[in-house]
Amino acid sequence: HEEELSAHFDATIARDQRVEPRDWMPEAYRRTLVRQIAQHAHSEIIGMQPEGDWITKAPSLRRKSILFAKVQDEAGHGLYLYSAAETLGADRAELTEMLIEGRQKYSSIFNYPTPTFADVGVIGWFVDGAAICNQVPLCRCSYGPYARAMIRVCKEESFHQRQGYELLMTMMRGTEAQRRMVQEAVDRWWWPSLMMFGPPDGDSPHSAKSMAWRIKRHSNDELRQRFVDMTVPQAEHLGVTLPDPELRWNEERGRHDFGTPDFEELKQVISGNGPCNAERVARRRSAHENGAWVREAAAAHAARHAGDRGK
Ligand code: 3HC
């Protein structure tokens, strides 16, 4: 009987159709989805910190309210994704424990500091731009709940990317000091943003399986290339230079050639040795501990009113 179920699963994937929570699925398919969705959710929640630091220091009420809305969106994306992971039997509290104990990852990109307000703009432009390159294909992922979560997330990401670029446009029309601040933030974030797409295809243990199961639709290198091709004209329009001497248009390829990111740095940052890893995880741990009373109160309230539903 298992062969029939497995053949049905394979046919669903082959026909580019959706696998839903109640469908039979190979244990390895379920496990890799929990792995990826949980880490995606952790990335959204940790990702609130680098920009969150600027909410109380934003230069105007307008910038503060935009930033507030964006950081709030990231929290919502995290909750959306934890819910998608729960449809696969994962337990949200357990996932949070694994994050806090360093047993599950979050995106490398959030382990870098944000020393100036221009960093907030560049995160919107580069990091949310990279997120769009990575998340739009995930709207066609074979696992239904994950794909559907991505549709709303992608709409909000394009607002995130737009507000970051508009912030930088405003600064580039400002003083020489503001223009320099933007260029320095671009120099800081360009290579870590290319690393965010993951290791090169030849060094990506999950890609083959993930693509066969139509979870990953394009390889890490393909999405990295798309991000470069999308960003170069935006940098020209903004009037900043991208810090890669090998970056140039290649007519026959119809794409940009560019230098090789430092994948050794990516390995280091992923294994916890980035500039801000310890601080980011410590902040997450203390937020979780400080929030314990809210969880207990909510659970007590739910228990006391469990019977009310019928009244
Ligand atoms: N940071 C941290 N870990 C990374 C990484 C990165 N930038 N890139 C790869 N890794 C990890 C993988 O998780 C895997 O480790 P694991 O086995 O412990 O999970 C290992 O390195 C090997 O990488 P693979 O390429 O073989 O792994 P995947 O096939 O899972 O590809 C991925 C990696 C492209 C990140 C894929 O998991 C993915 O598309 N995830 C969903 C998108 C996501 O998580 N984006 C993170 C940014 S969050 C975001 O964009 C929000 C926005 O608001 C900024």
Side-chain angles (χ1 to χ4, degrees), residues 5-281:
L5 290 168
S6 176
H8 179 71
F9 172 83
D10 293 343
T12 303
I13 299 292
R15 281 198 301 263
D16 223 348
Q17 286 175 340
R18 290 275 155 80
V19 176
E20 296 300 336
R22 287 190 176 76
D23 294 344
W24 182 91
M25 61 185 83
E27 178 48 24
Y29 177 82
R30 192 195 65 76
R31 233 191 355 266
T32 206
L33 278 168
V34 169
R35 171 189 67 83
Q36 173 162 334
I37 298 172
Q39 293 181 152
H40 195 162
H42 296 332
S43 302
E44 302 281 3
I45 299 299
I46 296 285
M48 294 166 72
Q49 291 187 35
E51 293 158 305
D53 288 340
W54 281 93
I55 290 178
T56 53
K57 298 181 282 184
S60 71
L61 183 60
R62 177 171 178 271
R63 291 293 169 204
K64 183 200 282 274
S65 52
I66 292 175
L67 185 54
F68 203 75
K70 181 196 190 289
V71 172
Q72 216 169 354
D73 280 352
E74 307 295 7
H77 296 173
L79 299 184
Y80 239 46
L81 287 162
Y82 285 127
S83 302
E86 285 172 335
T87 67
L88 289 160
D91 171 78
R92 183 181 305 211
E94 233 171 82
L95 296 179
T96 301
E97 281 313 309
M98 290 170 84
L99 168 65
I100 288 174
E101 289 160 11
R103 289 185 288 123
Q104 259 183 344
K105 299 177 167 73
Y106 58 91
S107 186
S108 53
I109 193 69
F110 298 123
N111 289 305
Y112 291 87
T114 47
T116 74
F117 195 65
D119 291 76
V120 172
V122 173
I123 286 177
W125 178 29
F126 284 174
V127 177
D128 294 283
I132 290 169
C133 292
N134 167 282
Q135 291 170 162
V136 164
L138 282 173
C139 295
R140 292 186 298 117
C141 159
S142 58
Y143 186 57
Y146 192 25
R148 290 189 290 271
M150 280 299 112
I151 293 172
R152 170 167 162 190
V153 166
C154 286
K155 288 189 171 54
E156 292 175 342
E157 291 298 5
S158 40
F159 147 66
H160 299 171
Q161 202 247 9
R162 203 73 36 82
Q163 64 79 33
Y165 193 73
E166 188 264 342
L167 187 167
L168 298 175
M169 259 318 200
T170 310
M171 292 186 77
M172 289 305 280
R173 291 197 198 100
T175 64
E176 181 44 40
Q178 284 174 313
R179 282 195 290 277
R180 204 173 33 257
M181 201 189 280
V182 172
Q183 183 62 58
E184 283 163 5
V186 165
D187 293 345
R188 271 197 294 279
W189 288 93
W190 176 246
W191 291 105
S193 300
L194 295 193
M195 295 174 209
M196 178 178 163
F197 288 92
D201 294 349
D203 194 21
S204 164
H206 296 295
S207 282
K209 222 38 193 140
S210 189
M211 291 180 89
W213 279 326
R214 295 192 166 161
I215 297 169
K216 185 178 272 189
R217 290 297 198 158
H218 302 285
S219 76
N220 297 357
D221 288 333
E222 168 56 25
L223 292 181
R224 203 178 341 260
Q225 175 70 61
R226 286 188 186 184
F227 173 71
V228 171
D229 291 339
M230 173 180 94
T231 308
V232 168
Q234 293 170 344
E236 279 155 15
H237 183 66
L238 192 60
V240 294
T241 53
L242 298 171
D244 176 0
E246 294 176 54
L247 182 61
R248 70 175 56 76
W249 177 250
N250 179 321
E251 198 45 48
E252 342 27 297
R253 281 197 329 124
R255 315 202 82 175
H256 291 85
D257 294 337
F258 57 98
T260 307
D262 179 352
F263 291 113
E264 200 34 52
E265 176 179 328
L266 174 61
K267 279 201 184 92
Q268 282 306 313
V269 175
I270 290 180
S271 47
N273 307 322
C276 302
N277 295 56
E279 170 197 335
R280 299 285 187 238
V281 176

